[in-house]
Amino acid sequence: MVATGTPQARVGASRPGIRAAKPRGRRVGSGRVGYLFVAGYTILLLLFGVAPVAYALWLSVTNSSGQLVGLGNFTRVFADYRFGPVFAHIGLYLVLWLISLMVLVVTLALMLHGRLKRTSAVVRFLCYLPGAFAGASSVLIWLILLDPVASPIGPVLRAVGWSSAAQVVAPENLPVIFMIIAFWTGAGSWIVIMYGALNGIPHEVIEAARIDGAGALQIALRIQLPMLRKWIAYMLILAFAGGAQLFVEPQLVGTASFGQVPDDWSPNQLSYQYAFVAADFNGAAAIAVVLLVLSLGCAAAAVFKAGLFERGHS
Amino acid sequence: MITPSTRTGPRRARALVAVMTAASLITACADADPNRDGAQRAAAGPFSPAPQDPSSEITVWVDATRTAAVEAYREAHPEVKIKAVTYSGGANGSTELRTKVELFNRTGEGWPDVVWPNVQDLAWATTGATPFAAPLDTLVDRSVLDGYVKGALDQCTVGGKVYCLRNDLAQNVLWYNKKLMDQFGYQVPTTWEQWQQLGLRVGREHPGYLVGEVGSPTTPHIYFWGSQCPASVLTGDKTVTVDLRDPTCTRMAQLLDPLLSAGALGTRNKWDTGFIKEQAAKILMMPGPAWYGQALFNAGYHTPQGEIAAAAPLKFAADAETWTGAVGGGMWFISSHSRNLKAAVDFATWVTTDPGYTATAATYPAYGPAATGWLAAQQASGYYANDIGPVLQQAAPRIWTKWAVSTLYSQEAIYAATMVPALSSGKSVSSQMDVWQQAIVNKATALGYKVN
């Protein structure tokens, strides 16, 4: 599905005559089947996606007695001394994570596709492997890797000047550490997806470029990258939404470092603190809505910038 | 796809959203503050138990360690219907109990009869108009309540009512390695000042050996609690005094700093793999709670038998009396919703007072008469280099009771997140006291406490 999506859309769009010529009745019929196919997803989306969002929106403008408070909860969480730091933390983490994801995933996928063709099946599998672990267990592996005494890369950590786990998880290192964990657990599946997208680029386009004298680098920069644009945008949207909700990594590293990572490092953790330590679900909902607005805003920017939903040209 | 008719859709929606937002802002007259009832909430009214059914089953929520208590009780009382549910027990500051109880309050059913809570749970379970924890003054015999070590039930007492039964105490004493002390020819100190002087000597004469560590979250409970520092003094349900500039706090910071510079105080967490591997064998002295003997030195560090000994908690030379801190010490709640209070009370009383069971427990019993049997069992293990009994018994009623652990926030978590990274990067304790103060004040204020 991944491999064929792009070319089909393009082929269909470049030959509008074929579409128009299709019998009208058949289109209606296939539409009905289409509804059936999306029904399952839509129902689940309404139940577990839209309804909770609506509930969070409602909670964020009311107080615990159910009275409307307007933006009171928002001004309250904005004034919280932790609000600035959590978004600074997550902002730095997201910048590092999205850049590394974009640059490294695309580079690795291009290399696998072009240069390492013979070994690429094995390498692809190896890249994907860490992602096959459940999220929490892959974080646990890193807890061992980050302890200079227990880690197989202990000598490297010591060479950098870190002799104890406490020094490794110092506050200034945390965004980079979480970025590395996230990259290790999440990038593999994106490499596989990008590889599939690269397969979707028609061979004749590459062939034509090659005949015109383009080298591997030129093909990558001028043909493959522009054609991957929508996939990269798609990856960025999902990675941003996922990254902004960072929770497991700081929570587990915090527990493992005996509380050295504060329990309110990321916005999601702060929201959790509001809900389950202060029993303030309205404040928690306000933070959730802020995250939602940010994610939607960035998603919209990526969608329009990359023309994700434009079908006419890519 | 894009036709004029569909274009007006988003516009209308936008207008609708704008109108709704404006409307909600206009109608927004209510207060968003979750603590709008103010710091002074209604005091607990008279306790009115749920309808009782003496034959009903009781449900006990315990952490993994305490399942043994339920098993032991079941064996001793085969006639009682008792169900054990293992939960987090509030480990690592988990708020599971509070979350679940709030859900049960909404549904009006599902509360456990007896709970092993964490210390933060005291803050919400014993306060408000109808506290979750049942007041035990009338449910437990006065003679039994009087048997708990002096001061042990203070932490359970709110507004003159006792809301929990203490399971164990974790009074701090001075643990030391007798073999090493003898070998180096050192005298066991009795005051903090002597301890510091000896620590500086250790730094010079036996570098690498430690007289304590400040890299664990529990550090404030050992050093600053023992120094009677007002880092957390509750003056009401939701009012707290935090003053790290008090001389009782700064004297401890100034005591610790030279030792840090001399390398005689560890800055790694005592449970850290690296600490256990590289420094655990070099512990000369370590102020800490009653459970260090077995749980830390024996089980954690595998320090050989016959080396570890306990001495009386350290005091400041200027102080008239010895006061010490505590690291832990569990308790039991009985739910005010229980339909079988008699059985619930019997369980909680039995596990905290029964001589046979408490002697086998892992930690120092809070019930005075039970301590004798426990200490005898400890001594019979042959692990210690001296008789730890008199030391632990003497320290038990000397826990400074003004230091409140029963706040919604955990001092340990604050110390771990603010002080530990600073100390492990080489900063001094004194230089961080203001940062620490601010961190406590911030956390307390965020959770609705009035700080003065």
Side-chain angles (χ1 to χ4, degrees):
Chain A
M1 191 188 128
V2 166
T4 55
T6 311
Q8 265 184 359
R10 190 181 338 94
V11 169
S14 60
R15 297 179 205 165
I18 294 173
R19 276 194 153 197
K22 280 180 186 169
R24 203 178 160 78
R26 203 183 144 200
R27 280 184 71 194
V28 173
S30 63
R32 273 193 203 132
V33 176
Y35 286 129
L36 192 69
F37 276 123
V38 297
Y41 175 76
T42 311
I43 291 166
L44 290 176
L45 178 73
L46 286 174
L47 278 178
F48 300 109
V50 176
V53 167
Y55 186 53
L57 281 170
W58 171 248
L59 280 180
S60 70
V61 293
T62 53
N63 64 17
S64 54
S65 316
Q67 300 158 313
L68 275 172
V69 295
L71 299 178
N73 288 315
F74 291 93
T75 50
R76 202 157 54 76
V77 297
F78 291 162
D80 191 307
Y81 73 100
R82 296 165 288 188
F83 189 81
V86 293
F87 279 93
H89 293 157
I90 207 74
L92 186 56
Y93 161 77
L94 279 173
V95 168
L96 292 171
W97 155 233
L98 294 182
I99 290 177
S100 67
L101 198 63
M102 204 158 67
V103 174
L104 293 174
V105 162
V106 174
T107 312
L108 282 170
L110 283 171
M111 281 167 64
L112 280 178
H113 198 258
R115 294 271 145 186
L116 305 167
K117 251 195 169 139
R118 263 179 231 154
T119 49
S120 75
V122 179
V123 180
R124 248 181 305 154
F125 177 70
L126 286 179
C127 288
Y128 180 71
L129 205 56
F133 289 114
S137 56
S138 21
V139 177
L140 289 176
I141 290 175
W142 276 93
L143 296 180
I144 298 166
L145 284 177
L146 292 174
D147 187 340
V149 178
S151 172
I153 54 160
V156 179
L157 296 172
R158 279 170 192 269
V160 181
W162 295 321
S163 57
S164 70
Q167 286 169 330
V168 178
V169 295
E172 61 272 18
N173 299 343
L174 290 175
V176 179
I177 289 175
F178 296 144
M179 183 268 282
I180 294 173
I181 297 177
F183 189 83
W184 187 75
T185 52
S189 47
W190 283 115
I191 293 174
V192 174
I193 291 174
M194 285 297 160
Y195 188 90
L198 283 170
N199 275 343
I201 297 173
H203 190 63
E204 52 267 36
V205 178
I206 308 280
E207 196 63 42
R210 201 165 282 150
I211 290 168
D212 286 348
L217 187 67
Q218 274 179 313
I219 291 176
L221 289 177
R222 291 171 186 264
I223 312 281
Q224 289 169 314
L225 265 186
M227 285 183 147
L228 280 184
R229 203 177 54 185
K230 287 181 179 179
W231 292 100
I232 296 171
Y234 172 63
M235 176 174 78
L236 287 183
I237 292 170
L238 290 190
F240 183 94
Q245 293 176 47
L246 191 73
F247 184 83
V248 175
E249 285 84 353
Q251 194 78 7
L252 280 182
V253 174
T255 308
S257 65
F258 308 99
Q260 234 200 92
V261 180
D263 48 18
D264 39 31
W265 194 86
S266 74
N268 228 1
Q269 283 183 299
L270 180 59
S271 180
Y272 181 85
Q273 289 286 317
Y274 265 88
F276 297 112
V277 178
D280 176 7
F281 288 93
N282 307 95
I287 297 173
V289 170
V290 171
L291 274 178
L292 176 76
V293 169
L294 277 178
S295 290
L296 281 181
C298 289
V303 164
F304 292 122
K305 195 88 185 151
L308 199 61
F309 295 154
E310 288 168 24
R311 304 184 63 186
H313 47 82
S314 70
Chain B
M1 271 296 277
I2 299 167
T3 61
S5 66
T6 53
R7 263 194 189 166
T8 57
R11 244 185 241 162
R12 262 187 214 155
R14 252 178 265 151
L16 194 65
V17 168
V19 168
M20 278 174 66
T21 313
S24 74
L25 281 173
I26 293 161
T27 52
C29 49
D31 192 350
D33 185 5
N35 303 301
R36 56 190 173 279
D37 305 338
Q40 297 303 321
R41 287 179 298 168
F47 174 55
S48 55
Q52 295 295 301
D53 175 6
S55 63
S56 64
E57 182 185 61
I58 58 165
T59 305
V60 182
W61 280 18
V62 283
D63 65 344
T65 317
R66 252 51 62 163
T67 47
V70 183
E71 282 311 313
Y73 183 79
R74 196 178 273 146
E75 228 164 76
H77 303 82
E79 74 288 356
V80 179
K81 282 186 276 179
I82 181 166
K83 190 174 107 187
V85 175
T86 313
Y87 86 117
S88 69
N92 292 318
S94 151
T95 51
E96 187 181 353
L97 181 63
R98 184 180 193 187
T99 313
K100 296 255 169 80
V101 166
E102 267 171 19
L103 288 175
F104 298 145
N105 288 346
R106 284 192 180 204
T107 55
E109 59 178 8
W111 301 282
D113 297 277
V114 183
V115 181
W116 172 268
N118 82 2
V119 73
Q120 263 74 51
D121 291 322
L122 274 167
W124 59 267
T126 62
T127 56
T130 49
F132 165 74
L136 302 174
D137 310 71
T138 51
L139 298 174
V140 180
D141 281 347
R142 193 73 242 168
S143 60
V144 176
L145 287 178
D146 288 342
Y148 290 88
V149 172
K150 187 172 163 284
L153 293 180
D154 279 20
Q155 151 175 331
C156 299
T157 312
V158 177
K161 290 180 187 164
V162 176
Y163 286 98
C164 65
L165 291 185
R166 285 300 293 276
N167 184 73
D168 56 299
L169 293 179
Q171 67 276 34
N172 294 333
V173 294
L174 178 67
W175 292 100
Y176 63 97
N177 189 315
K178 189 167 184 303
K179 192 181 150 206
L180 283 175
M181 291 287 273
D182 290 348
Q183 193 184 319
F184 295 166
Y186 294 149
Q187 289 285 315
V188 178
T190 56
T191 65
W192 284 110
E193 289 86 352
Q194 288 173 5
W195 172 77
Q196 187 204 39
Q197 288 311 312
L198 185 56
L200 296 175
R201 255 183 84 188
V202 171
R204 286 192 305 271
E205 297 170 3
H206 300 280
Y209 283 86
L210 300 176
V211 298
E213 59 86 32
V214 291
S216 297
T218 50
T219 303
H221 292 177
I222 295 169
Y223 300 97
F224 290 88
W225 189 341
S227 181
Q228 303 139 61
C229 159
S232 181
V233 177
L234 272 178
T235 49
D237 276 7
K238 281 272 190 174
T239 49
V240 66
T241 298
V242 181
D243 186 11
L244 293 185
R245 292 180 194 95
D246 192 273
T248 51
C249 307
T250 49
R251 67 175 177 182
M252 183 48 84
Q254 285 157 8
L255 193 88
L256 295 175
D257 281 334
L259 290 171
L260 270 174
S261 316
L265 270 186
T267 53
R268 288 194 208 177
N269 187 297
K270 61 182 173 291
W271 293 111
D272 184 273
T273 331
F275 185 92
I276 295 178
K277 204 170 163 186
E278 293 165 358
Q279 291 178 290
K282 295 195 161 185
I283 295 168
L284 191 61
M285 292 184 278
M286 182 102 105
W291 51 263
Y292 269 14
Q294 285 299 337
L296 187 70
F297 290 108
N298 193 3
Y301 298 162
H302 305 293
T303 311
Q305 192 165 328
E307 292 189 9
I308 298 298
L314 297 167
K315 74 183 269 286
F316 279 90
D319 288 356
E321 291 181 289
T322 303
W323 288 110
T324 190
V327 182
M331 74 215 85
W332 297 94
F333 283 158
I334 289 159
S335 164
S336 55
H337 306 282
S338 173
R339 293 166 51 76
N340 193 349
L341 283 168
K342 194 170 166 291
V345 166
D346 190 66
F347 170 81
T349 317
W350 188 85
V351 294
T352 55
T353 63
D354 181 71
Y357 169 68
T358 50
T360 63
T363 44
Y364 187 96
Y367 187 65
T372 324
W374 184 82
L375 285 168
Q378 288 289 307
Q379 221 47 48
S381 73
Y383 180 70
Y384 300 102
N386 74 343
D387 183 5
I388 62 166
V391 169
L392 261 56
Q393 266 181 319
Q394 180 218 336
R398 303 308 302 171
I399 299 173
W400 191 58
T401 52
K402 279 190 189 155
W403 181 291
V405 273
S406 57
T407 45
L408 279 175
Y409 54 91
S410 147
Q411 289 286 348
E412 299 179 23
I414 298 170
Y415 182 87
T418 53
M419 294 296 276
V420 173
L423 297 183
S424 64
S425 72
K427 295 195 174 99
S428 72
V429 180
S430 301
S431 72
Q432 296 302 302
M433 293 296 271
D434 284 346
V435 180
W436 187 15
Q437 160 92 15
Q438 195 55 47
I440 303 175
V441 172
N442 282 342
K443 196 82 175 184
T445 315
L447 287 169
Y449 283 87
K450 204 167 157 280
V451 183
N452 48 33

